[in-house]
Amino acid sequence: DQQVKQNSPSLSVQEGRISILNCDYTNSMFDYFLWYKKYPAEGPTFLISISSIKDKNEDGRFTVFLNKSAKHLSLHIVPSQPGDSAVYFCAASFTGNQFYFGTGTSLTVIP
Amino acid sequence: ETGVTQTPRHLVMGMTNKKSLKCEQHLGHNAMYWYKQSAKKPLELMFVYNFKEQTENNSVPSRFSPECPNSSHLFLHLHTLQPEDSALYLCASSQHGPINEKLFFGSGTQLSVL
């Protein structure tokens, strides 16, 4: 059973607007969450992380929000740029355990 | 910053072949991982090595055999694979593992089993 779910396989956004990518998880023990970005023919690259002691973490145009009660994670990209077009994966873990990944959301930013 | 190199990038093999995937990390990390990514599925952890010792094997069939001669190199030996083993195989490393810290991935080997 998938413990981390990304229910939107794809998302299209106009350049300059906000992109919101969502992720849900089922295991309440998860205490560390990451977002990865993947371009075709490349491996995933780390984007941003958040610990369960926080509900928000920001890095430039990227902000991750964590709602522990809803077991929901979201990544906001603002403003969106064409170079942000990629597949985005969320992942979750708890100390001493492996990461569980979602299936990814393909983001297309339209110029 | 990748620092994790995988070879070959593409591999086509028959079901009776034996081949090996290679991974090298230049980050001074102590933990290395093999992941499998099949179409429309999440990344699946296959093996974990921490300080050259295998610490996890996620019920992977014996036709996949990992080898970690040192903290910088990781191999995945393949023999008598099945067509359903066709997938992207990703190597990753982390400073320590598995604890809550980010993974650094290689570009992967796209494997096709005929």
Side-chain angles (χ1 to χ4, degrees):
Chain A
D1 188 31
Q2 254 183 272
Q3 299 195 47
V4 176
K5 295 181 182 177
Q6 293 177 259
N7 293 317
S8 298
S10 62
L11 175 69
S12 290
V13 170
Q14 207 71 32
E15 180 179 3
R17 307 295 287 268
I18 185 170
S19 295
I20 301 176
L21 297 102
N22 294 304
C23 180
D24 296 296
Y25 61 95
T26 57
N27 191 336
S28 57
M29 291 186 66
F30 287 146
D31 59 7
Y32 187 60
F33 305 86
L34 308 96
W35 284 94
Y36 279 87
K37 176 179 177 179
K38 185 180 184 301
Y39 292 117
E42 294 183 15
T45 55
F46 170 77
L47 197 56
I48 193 168
S49 64
I50 188 167
S51 158
S52 62
I53 61 173
K54 294 185 172 183
D55 54 19
K56 176 182 173 182
N57 189 26
E58 195 170 350
D59 183 1
R61 296 185 297 114
F62 302 91
T63 303
V64 56
F65 294 91
L66 176 62
N67 182 332
K68 290 185 287 292
S69 60
K71 295 192 182 70
H72 180 80
L73 188 69
S74 63
L75 174 69
H76 292 210
I77 306 172
V78 56
S80 301
Q81 299 173 354
D84 296 330
S85 297
V87 178
Y88 290 79
F89 295 95
C90 65
S93 77
F94 55 94
T95 302
N97 209 278
Q98 64 172 296
F99 280 105
Y100 293 86
F101 286 82
T103 49
T105 296
S106 178
L107 173 66
T108 302
V109 179
I110 304 162
Chain B
E1 179 189 359
T2 55
V4 180
T5 305
Q6 287 187 244
T7 55
R9 293 294 303 272
H10 301 273
L11 179 62
V12 179
M13 59 187 288
M15 289 191 284
T16 58
N17 291 158
K18 287 185 181 181
K19 297 286 184 183
S20 296
L21 309 184
K22 180 182 175 183
C23 177
E24 183 175 1
Q25 58 96 0
H26 312 276
L27 301 169
H29 289 169
N30 296 309
M32 296 187 77
Y33 311 76
W34 280 117
Y35 279 86
K36 175 184 177 183
Q37 186 180 22
S38 304
K40 309 291 185 190
K41 290 187 177 180
L43 272 72
E44 300 171 51
L45 179 64
M46 299 175 73
F47 300 105
V48 181
Y49 277 83
N50 201 11
F51 290 95
K52 302 188 299 177
E53 297 297 320
Q54 186 175 314
T55 59
E56 195 147 347
N57 172 347
N58 272 9
S59 303
V60 179
S62 59
R63 57 186 183 269
F64 294 91
S65 174
E67 178 190 0
C68 188
N70 56 60
S71 293
S72 299
H73 293 86
L74 185 65
F75 295 90
L76 187 62
H77 303 299
L78 316 171
H79 64 99
T80 59
L81 294 191
Q82 305 298 311
E84 60 265 28
D85 297 321
S86 299
L88 179 67
Y89 289 84
L90 289 161
C91 173
S93 71
S94 65
Q95 185 63 54
H96 310 96
I99 63 172
N100 289 356
E101 58 179 27
K102 61 187 180 186
L103 303 171
F104 291 81
F105 285 90
S107 297
T109 295
Q110 187 66 53
L111 173 67
S112 297
V113 181
L114 304 179

